[in-house]
Amino acid sequence: CTAKQIRTLISSKIASTTRQKIGKTFGYFLSGPILGSHGQSKSSIYMATTDLCGVLAAKVYGSAFEADYQREVAVNQVFQQENIVKFIADFRFEHRGGPMFAVVMPYLPLNVAELLRQQTALKSVTICRIASACYNALKHIHSKGIFFIY
């Protein structure tokens, strides 16, 4: 498959009428998928926009992964720490006669690893800030008794 074929296939996963319904009902307008290595097979990430918040990301789960969606929402509600991305919204919607689930969050175009790979010469103080933010986020997650093992 070419990148264009993959983009077309992913884009067709949610019909435009469903996107319009999400926009009218919840205020989030889904555009095309965000392609890349997200490490997720149970969800798709879409660009989302709203008149008030600008560019966002919407992570959409199929009905077979409702438990994963509910777990992610529950875990995110526990987090109250500046270095952890907070969900803006989460909701359920119908698509082709079945339920689908979405979480909306700020759009962050790079993760830490990608940021570090793209930067050839970071100042020591910048590296320390990134490491400190990662450490504090992980420490907070672990203090809540949440551990992820892949």
Side-chain angles (χ1 to χ4, degrees), residues 4-149:
K4 186 176 181 179
Q5 290 170 322
I6 293 169
R7 187 177 299 117
T8 302
L9 178 67
I10 293 172
S11 215
S12 68
K13 286 176 91 178
I14 297 181
S16 67
T17 54
T18 302
R19 289 183 188 149
Q20 290 171 1
K21 181 180 177 187
I22 290 170
K24 288 177 185 173
T25 308
F26 301 103
Y28 299 99
F29 299 91
L30 300 187
S31 57
I34 299 172
L35 297 177
S37 59
H38 304 294
Q40 325 266 344
S41 58
K42 56 188 161 198
S43 62
S44 299
I45 312 282
Y46 291 83
M47 293 293 287
T49 57
T50 174
D51 293 337
L52 300 175
C53 300
V55 179
L56 304 167
K59 187 174 183 181
V60 179
Y61 289 87
S63 59
F65 300 103
E66 181 177 4
D68 294 300
Y69 158 79
Q70 288 177 343
R71 178 180 180 272
E72 186 163 0
V73 169
V75 166
N76 192 266
Q77 288 173 347
V78 170
F79 298 147
Q80 297 292 326
Q81 211 268 350
E82 65 181 324
N83 297 310
I84 299 173
V85 176
K86 189 76 177 151
F87 292 164
I88 295 170
D90 59 88
F91 54 88
R92 176 187 192 277
F93 63 96
E94 293 294 318
H95 176 64
R96 295 187 180 160
M100 293 192 74
F101 309 92
V103 292
V104 179
M105 62 196 91
Y107 173 64
L108 304 171
L110 299 174
N111 63 35
V112 173
E114 291 165 343
L115 175 69
L116 293 174
R117 270 195 296 272
Q118 286 187 5
Q119 301 297 321
T120 54
L122 288 175
K123 294 180 181 179
S124 294
V125 68
T126 302
I127 294 170
C128 287
R129 284 184 186 142
I130 291 170
S132 178
C134 292
Y135 169 78
N136 288 330
L138 191 58
K139 180 179 169 185
H140 180 73
I141 291 168
H142 288 176
S143 76
K144 301 291 183 183
I146 298 167
F147 302 89
F148 297 99
I149 300 172

